[in-house]
Amino acid sequence: MKKFFLLALLTLINCQIKAQHCNAIVGKWLNKRGEGQVEIYQYGNKYLGKLVWLKHPNDAHGKPLTDQRNIRPALRGRPLLGTLIMRDLTCDGISYTGGSIYDPRRGKTFGCELTMKGNTLKVEAMMGMFPVGSETWTRVKD
């Protein structure tokens, strides 16, 4: 009986440590060019990210930028600000995988893997098993 309680206690501690690590990604992140910020948040057991700030949010005519390069014509008129660009990422205690990232510069969606180290976040876009791009984002201090 003592072994059962000890095992249950260790499992609970491990789950709390994993949850603390996984939630460390929550917050705002600045892309490597300093042109956009993505806010990552938890929704259920998944992590999502939306575009919340752009250095240049308007076009040459002063109108908000839209998703002009989206491969789906019906979405080309939507504003870039507020666009959900990361979806369905799960945390295994070390990295965030299984989700997708939308690249508005290309208008395409890719598989995604995130790895956090301190105040930096390595963002890797994948096509199947093959990496198609990688960049490092930095945490925005409130």
Side-chain angles (χ1 to χ4, degrees), residues 51 54 57 64-67 75-84:
L51 192 58
L54 289 169
L65 290 176
T66 58
D67 196 5
L75 297 178
R76 291 181 185 156
R78 72 177 175 178
L80 278 180
L81 280 178
T83 297
L84 191 63

Side-chain angles (χ1 to χ4, degrees), residues 5-142:
F5 286 116
L6 181 59
L7 181 61
L9 179 62
L10 291 173
T11 301
L12 179 63
I13 290 170
N14 186 40
C15 288
Q16 286 180 335
I17 290 170
K18 181 179 172 185
Q20 286 175 348
H21 167 77
C22 289
N23 288 337
I25 197 173
V26 171
K28 293 180 184 173
W29 297 87
L30 183 67
N31 73 353
K32 76 175 184 176
R33 290 171 305 287
E35 297 172 345
Q37 288 180 14
V38 174
E39 182 175 12
I40 298 177
Y41 58 97
Q42 185 176 9
Y43 185 77
N45 65 342
K46 305 282 183 174
Y47 292 87
L48 296 89
K50 65 180 173 179
L51 192 58
V52 294
W53 177 85
L54 289 169
K55 186 174 185 177
H56 304 289
N58 299 321
D59 65 17
H61 305 289
K63 295 183 180 179
L65 290 176
T66 58
D67 196 5
Q68 289 295 312
R69 295 186 176 153
N70 197 304
I71 60 171
R72 296 180 6 200
L75 297 178
R76 291 181 185 156
R78 72 177 175 178
L80 278 180
L81 280 178
T83 297
L84 191 63
I85 67 165
M86 294 178 144
R87 297 176 185 268
D88 300 330
L89 291 156
T90 58
C91 178
D92 64 10
I94 298 170
S95 61
Y96 304 81
T97 59
S100 62
I101 186 166
Y102 174 70
D103 182 353
R105 291 183 316 268
R106 298 185 201 180
K108 295 181 181 179
T109 300
F110 301 95
C112 181
E113 183 171 326
L114 308 177
T115 308
M116 197 171 119
K117 185 174 181 182
N119 285 325
T120 62
L121 184 65
K122 183 178 180 185
V123 180
E124 290 187 274
M126 313 288 283
M127 188 170 283
M129 297 179 356
F130 304 102
V132 293
S134 176
E135 61 180 51
T136 300
W137 295 357
T138 55
R139 184 179 293 278
V140 175
K141 296 178 184 172
D142 291 325

